[in-house]
Amino acid sequence: MKQIELKALAKINLGLDVLGGRENGYHDVRMVMQSIYLYDDVKIERMKRPGIEIRTNLYFLPLDENNIAYKAAAMLREEFQIKEGVIITLNKHIPVAAGMAGGSSNAAAVLFGMNRMFGLGLSQQELMDKGVKLGADVPYCIMRGTVLAEGIGEKLTELPAMPKCIVLVAKPPISVSTKTIYSALDSQEITKHPDIDGLIAGLKKGSLPEIAAAMGNVLEDVTIPMHPVIQDIKNEMKAAGALNAMMSGSGPTVFGLFNSKAQARKAQDKIREKALAKQVYVTNIHSAGRTEYGT
């Protein structure tokens, strides 16, 4: 196999709760994660000379060991003594630093792709065990689908598939530091926790209204006061008919769940018209096979 082309999917958090901090800076979380059909194209090509070459459509992304996709390739090349080099082309569509695991998903695709390309024989679980060394979201990005994540995000339990619906994603033109958000959360008492059990119950029933009603993200209490535009976007989505709208991860991206594409398009137009966000996408829940990166 000389090259492989993969789709690295974005994720949203249907629910995100923080149970406490650890001395190493990580946090114990309880989250419901969901893949959506917004993705980066990742191409891996073999080259005879050793090394790792990163190419991307975004000028500001690092092309060296500061890129998590590079780290993923380097880890496998070193462990398995791979003599050949690889060229990794990242055609980015997932908003960057936006709470949608774009970088982690790229790393997951590289692990998956190199495993197949070089015949390393690693199981999905073995890939996930390696992925957690790169970042807490990487194991999920290998597994994908509708999943309960616990621990620091590495303990994953498959959940019933999310009912089909339209997803609107809007990323305002601001950057949010995950480390800053969690530090701010540590300095205050969490008084209201999201209803993760209610979310799981809604998934088991296949009830989109119940799932939407139980959605919650404990980090909103920190990020929204810093960046009120997040609340403005949520309001526009709900006004256009979203069953619910919420910030994903530590932000600043907001997503809304809709029954119809027409409602989502209406919200998309309003958000653009009011210049709340330029990156606004109408997409779907991704429910294809968890290991099929080409679909």
Side-chain angles (χ1 to χ4, degrees), residues 58-177:
L58 298 182
Y59 71 90
F60 53 83
L61 288 185
L63 304 178
D64 55 13
E65 60 273 3
N66 293 309
N67 187 305
I68 192 171
Y70 185 107
K71 289 179 184 176
M75 181 167 65
L76 292 183
R77 286 190 73 246
E78 182 178 353
E79 181 175 344
F80 291 92
Q81 296 296 295
I82 297 170
K83 304 299 183 190
E84 291 175 89
V86 289
I87 301 168
I88 300 168
T89 304
L90 307 173
N91 191 8
K92 300 282 291 177
H93 306 289
I94 302 170
V96 175
M100 301 193 77
S104 295
S105 193
N106 294 165
V110 169
L111 293 177
F112 179 92
M114 287 185 64
N115 182 47
R116 181 173 285 185
M117 177 178 278
F118 292 101
L120 306 182
L122 297 168
S123 67
Q124 185 187 66
Q125 186 58 54
E126 287 170 327
L127 287 174
M128 290 162 62
D129 292 343
K130 294 186 186 306
V132 76
K133 297 172 187 175
L134 298 168
D137 279 343
V138 178
Y140 167 74
C141 291
I142 291 168
M143 186 177 185
R144 313 200 299 187
T146 313
V147 172
L148 174 67
E150 297 174 290
I152 61 168
E154 87 288 7
K155 296 176 184 174
L156 304 176
T157 306
E158 184 180 337
L159 294 172
M162 174 79 173
K164 288 185 178 179
C165 62
I166 304 299
V167 183
L168 180 64
V169 174
K171 195 253 178 186
I174 53 174
S175 295
V176 171
S177 162

Side-chain angles (χ1 to χ4, degrees), residues 11-13 16 95-102 137 170-179 181-182 217-224 226-227 229-231 233-234 246-255:
K11 66 85 183 168
I12 53 175
N13 297 97
L16 193 165
V96 175
M100 301 193 77
D137 279 343
K171 195 253 178 186
I174 53 174
S175 295
V176 171
S177 162
T178 299
K179 187 176 180 181
I181 298 304
Y182 274 97
N217 182 346
V218 75
L219 299 179
E220 285 191 335
D221 292 340
V222 177
T223 311
I224 290 177
M226 295 180 183
H227 304 286
V229 67
I230 294 168
Q231 186 63 50
I233 293 171
K234 286 179 62 174
M246 194 175 81
M247 184 180 81
S248 185
S250 55
T253 299
V254 177
F255 70 91

